[in-house]
Amino acid sequence: GESVGLHLPTLSVQEGDNSIINCAYSNSASDYFIWYKQESGKGPQFIIDIRSNMDKRQGQRVTVLLNKTVKHLSLQIAATQPGDSAVYFCAEKMGNSGYSTLTFGKGTMLLVSP
Amino acid sequence: DAGVTQSPTHLIKTRGQQVTLRCSPKSGHDTVSWYQQALGQGPQFIFQYYEEEERQRGNFPDRFSGHQFPNYSSELNVNALLLGDSALYLCASSWIGGLSGNTIYFGEGSWLTVV
């Protein structure tokens, strides 16, 4: 079946650096792409999403880029902080209503050193 | 406003037993989805309930069943437990009219260990 996958399983950065987490997807029909942060022992927490008709979206310290040509999604975190250490998942949201389901990738662990 | 709540948080079961996990959705939400997250993996969609009916189902065997109650809360039942059912079970709630990605909220999950 179609899936969403990640290139790097672990990313280690220094506090203050910018972090980039990448994701490849295969389903062009997805309506939204979402980034989640999951801390140890907790459920996924929404970070930012981007609709399929957009290329870029910015939030607080985070930017998501969508390249539909190569089916690639990235999450950029500016001035990474130790509190950003977690596993990050990209997910595809199929459908534009509450009936939507999510297809997740395996995740990338971000480790931020002080 | 309470978010998505799940119970129990942790439990241990023996192979062959049955388990029931519970979820209360965020206030105002009417749709509940269940996901299974094995260690080191991303969550996998199990099924979704709306108006007390199963609306969509992922690639999970019939041992996995569920229910949604009139107050929108939901249960996930797993029969004849296998060692491979050990995972974090996540409940996600949403509103049927929700469009964007930030309309889906996850609970903290129920950790199931099958021994």
Side-chain angles (χ1 to χ4, degrees):
Chain A
E2 294 177 319
S3 63
V4 177
L6 296 176
H7 296 302
L8 298 174
T10 304
L11 177 63
S12 297
V13 301
Q14 294 290 319
E15 183 178 1
D17 287 351
N18 295 331
S19 301
I20 299 176
I21 301 173
N22 297 300
C23 173
Y25 66 91
S26 57
N27 190 342
S28 301
S30 298
D31 190 59
Y32 277 91
F33 298 90
I34 309 167
W35 282 101
Y36 287 94
K37 174 185 180 182
Q38 187 173 27
E39 297 176 284
S40 180
K42 296 187 177 182
Q45 178 187 359
F46 174 89
I47 301 173
I48 191 169
D49 65 353
I50 186 168
R51 196 166 183 176
S52 57
N53 61 355
M54 299 172 64
D55 298 322
K56 179 180 180 179
R57 190 174 185 208
Q58 289 183 296
Q60 186 176 12
R61 283 201 306 119
V62 295
T63 300
V64 56
L65 299 178
L66 176 62
N67 186 330
K68 293 180 285 293
T69 301
V70 295
K71 297 181 181 178
H72 184 267
L73 187 71
S74 69
L75 176 69
Q76 300 177 2
I77 305 174
T80 314
Q81 303 167 0
D84 294 328
S85 294
V87 177
Y88 289 79
F89 293 96
C90 64
E92 296 178 79
K93 182 176 182 284
M94 292 292 296
N96 59 356
S97 73
Y99 278 135
S100 304
T101 62
L102 299 172
T103 300
F104 286 83
K106 290 186 178 180
T108 292
M109 177 170 285
L110 177 64
L111 299 175
V112 183
S113 303
Chain B
D1 174 29
V4 181
T5 58
Q6 293 187 241
S7 64
T9 54
H10 295 81
L11 71 167
I12 300 174
K13 291 286 187 178
T14 304
R15 277 180 298 175
Q17 284 188 316
Q18 179 264 347
V19 68
T20 297
L21 308 178
R22 297 175 177 83
C23 172
S24 293
K26 180 178 171 62
S27 178
H29 285 185
D30 54 13
T31 304
V32 173
S33 300
W34 287 92
Y35 291 80
Q36 180 195 65
Q37 185 176 22
L39 197 62
Q41 303 292 319
Q44 299 292 313
F45 173 71
I46 303 175
F47 44 53
Q48 181 183 71
Y49 278 85
Y50 172 67
E51 291 187 330
E52 302 178 51
E53 291 187 9
E54 183 181 297
R55 299 291 178 169
Q56 299 188 74
R57 189 178 184 93
N59 187 25
F60 280 81
D62 292 344
R63 296 187 299 108
F64 289 77
S65 63
H67 189 78
Q68 186 180 35
F69 300 93
N71 67 352
Y72 308 118
S73 67
S74 176
E75 288 182 349
L76 164 65
N77 301 292
V78 187
N79 294 322
L81 284 167
L82 304 174
L83 295 178
D85 294 332
S86 296
L88 176 66
Y89 288 85
L90 294 163
C91 173
S93 78
S94 57
W95 169 56
I96 199 65
L99 300 179
S100 59
N102 64 351
T103 59
I104 302 172
Y105 290 78
F106 282 87
E108 301 291 20
S110 294
W111 282 99
L112 170 65
T113 300
V114 182
V115 297

